[in-house]
């Protein structure tokens, strides 16, 4: 059973990581979420759940307006050949979220450590990063360094690379 937003918040609290969360109508796309600018300060994320031909999975977290070259990204992230988007069933199985709610916080559900996590270095220039807390009906703000602490606490190594073009 995937963790809930409340489970996530309890985990963050246990790590001593403060966050603030704003609830809102469901947001499915970057365009939807841009309607909230002015209400929620900081860097906003776009997340790509990808897989390669050997069924290796990757989560890329970048700034919302960043462009990622899907034809060449495999060379940066160590994928076996070109990547494609992971299927919704794998997304739910591994990260515990549905399409439209993909988030860096999803690694809390990847207990088998099957997903490699990558964060675009440009995103980390923001003091505060905003991401869905396992649901697209809210946005959680977290300090950039605390996001890295969170990812490490889940047993994942956050690879920080220049992912955007």
């Amino acid at each position: 059973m995937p963790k809930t937003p409340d489970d996530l918040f309890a985990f963050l609290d246990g790590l001593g990581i403060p966050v603030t969360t704003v609830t809102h109508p469901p947001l499915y796309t970057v365009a939807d979420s841009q309607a909230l600018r002015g209400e929620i300060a900081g860097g906003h994320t776009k997340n790509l759940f990808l897989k390669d031909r050997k069924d290796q999975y990757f989560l890329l977290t970048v700034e919302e307006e960043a462009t990622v070259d899907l034809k060449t990204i495999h060379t940066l992230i160590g994928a076996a050949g070109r990547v494609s988007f992971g299927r919704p069933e794998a997304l739910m199985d591994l990260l515990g979220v549905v399409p439209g709610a993909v988030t860096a916080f999803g690694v809390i559900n990847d207990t088998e450590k099957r997903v490699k996590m990558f964060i675009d270095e440009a995103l980390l220039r923001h003091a505060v990063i905003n991401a869905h807390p396992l649901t697209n009906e809210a946005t959680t703000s977290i300090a950039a360094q605390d996001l890295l602490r969170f990812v490490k606490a889940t047993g994942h190594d956050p690879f920080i690379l220049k992912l955007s073009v």
Side-chain angles (χ1 to χ4, degrees), residues 19-78:
V19 297
T20 58
T21 300
V22 174
T23 58
H24 47 66
L27 304 173
Y28 297 97
T29 65
V30 167
D32 289 345
S33 67
Q34 288 176 331
L36 293 179
R37 291 314 158 264
E39 287 184 44
I40 304 173
H44 294 265
T45 58
K46 171 169 60 177
N47 298 275
L48 305 174
F49 177 65
L50 306 172
K51 72 174 277 310
D52 69 10
R53 68 173 183 255
K54 291 188 176 181
D55 288 333
Q56 294 182 98
Y57 290 91
F58 309 88
L59 176 62
L60 280 57
T61 299
V62 301
E63 282 187 287
E64 67 181 349
E65 293 186 15
T67 300
V68 175
D69 185 349
L70 292 178
K71 293 179 182 173
T72 61
I73 194 67
H74 66 281
T75 62
L76 287 175
I77 63 174

Side-chain angles (χ1 to χ4, degrees), residues 111-130:
T111 56
E112 295 178 15
K113 316 298 180 276
R114 291 192 50 208
V115 179
K116 292 181 184 172
M117 172 85 185
F118 292 86
I119 301 174
D120 192 22
E121 64 186 16
L123 179 64
L124 294 175
R125 292 184 194 130
H126 294 278
V128 174
I129 296 174
N130 299 292

